[in-house]
Amino acid sequence: MKIIHRAAELQEQLDYERARGNKVGFVPTMGALHEGHLSLVELAKQHADVVVVSIFVNPLQFGPAEDFDKYPRTLAEDAKLLEIENVQYLFAPGLEDVYPNGPELTQRAGVTGSTFEGASRPGHFDGMLTVVNRLMEIVQPDVVVFGEKDAQQVFIVSKLIKARFRNCQLIEGPTLREASGLAMSSRNRYLTDEERKDAENIYAHLNQMREELEAGAKVSETLTKHSTAIETSAKAKLEYLAVIDPQIFRPVDDNYQGPAKIIVAAKVGEVRLIDNLNVKAINA
Ligand code: PAF
């Protein structure tokens, strides 16, 4: 595996790969890799001949009160994991390579950028979209893989890809879960044992909601019941719990018919967690 820090060097290598007819797959990450990321790498490998994984903790997508400084930076361990996965290129650029003119927003995430995650984390999606756009410009992949766990991120990125990188295929990797059902996340490492149980309890509620909705329960009643239960039994501070239409990423009402997604964000102790679950159909 080649570890490359400079954008120009990566581009030179990838030009060479493309000239040999190799399809380039890309997995953008912020590092602190876990099995969830590695499953995205596996998907990229299945759809491309060479894989680039980027590791860049993007300051533009963190709010002033968020954990940018504390975000885990574990490049040496990450590199070992990627080496085992037979990844060809690890791209770990510095700030000046990603943002030659200094970190400034070049992309806006629009209306969806200010709901749910965007409401809890103002500016997050503009910053995320800016870095994804820049990394896509550098890598110019044939295939890019994002995790379904960040459902709103994938929704927003898919619009960018359709508009600006039309020849690139976007693949969504399913959420990897621990045996308890807790979605894998770089932030799980900060949970105490007790908080971990609370976090697992949130997943249990998502599952119950899915079952109830698929069995015909009303959206509004299901939401009220489980929001209260999560807040009380899981000692979690709920930021949002919603049932959305995945085509437009907006809440559905009790009359909605069709596939849906339950999305949740909660703070358990100091750790902010998100998750989502697909509902096959509501009122089918
Ligand atoms: O999902 C992430 O890890 C980040 O938002 C991404 C896509 C790597 C952009 O910084």
Side-chain angles (χ1 to χ4, degrees), residues 28-30 56 58 61 124 128 131-132 146 150 153:
T29 82
M30 297 205 299
F56 177 69
N58 173 35
Q61 68 188 79
H124 166 72
M128 178 283 294
V131 82
V132 169
F146 282 85
D150 295 299
Q153 169 168 281

Side-chain angles (χ1 to χ4, degrees), residues 130-162:
T130 294
V131 82
V132 169
N133 178 63
R134 174 71 182 129
L135 292 169
M136 291 288 296
E137 280 174 354
I138 295 171
V139 179
Q140 296 288 338
D142 299 288
V143 171
V144 66
V145 186
F146 282 85
E148 195 179 41
K149 175 166 167 285
D150 295 299
Q152 197 171 356
Q153 169 168 281
V154 183
F155 180 86
I156 290 168
V157 163
S158 70
K159 300 211 171 312
L160 174 84
I161 307 276
K162 271 194 207 117

Side-chain angles (χ1 to χ4, degrees), residues 27-43 53-55 71-72 74-75 77-82 85 87 146-150 153 173-178 182-190 196 272-274:
V27 183
T29 82
M30 297 205 299
L33 302 181
H34 51 69
E35 277 176 64
H37 294 110
L38 300 182
S39 72
L40 304 182
V41 170
E42 273 304 316
L43 265 178
V53 175
S54 67
I55 295 185
Y71 200 85
T74 55
L75 188 62
E77 287 97 316
D78 292 346
K80 274 188 211 140
L81 292 173
L82 296 175
E85 283 293 321
V87 164
F146 282 85
E148 195 179 41
K149 175 166 167 285
D150 295 299
Q153 169 168 281
T175 303
L176 238 67
R177 299 185 180 277
E178 298 179 1
L182 180 65
M184 289 190 184
S185 159
S186 307
R187 293 184 170 113
N188 289 355
R189 66 187 71 192
Y190 299 127
R196 185 170 280 270
R272 187 174 187 281
L273 299 171
I274 60 169

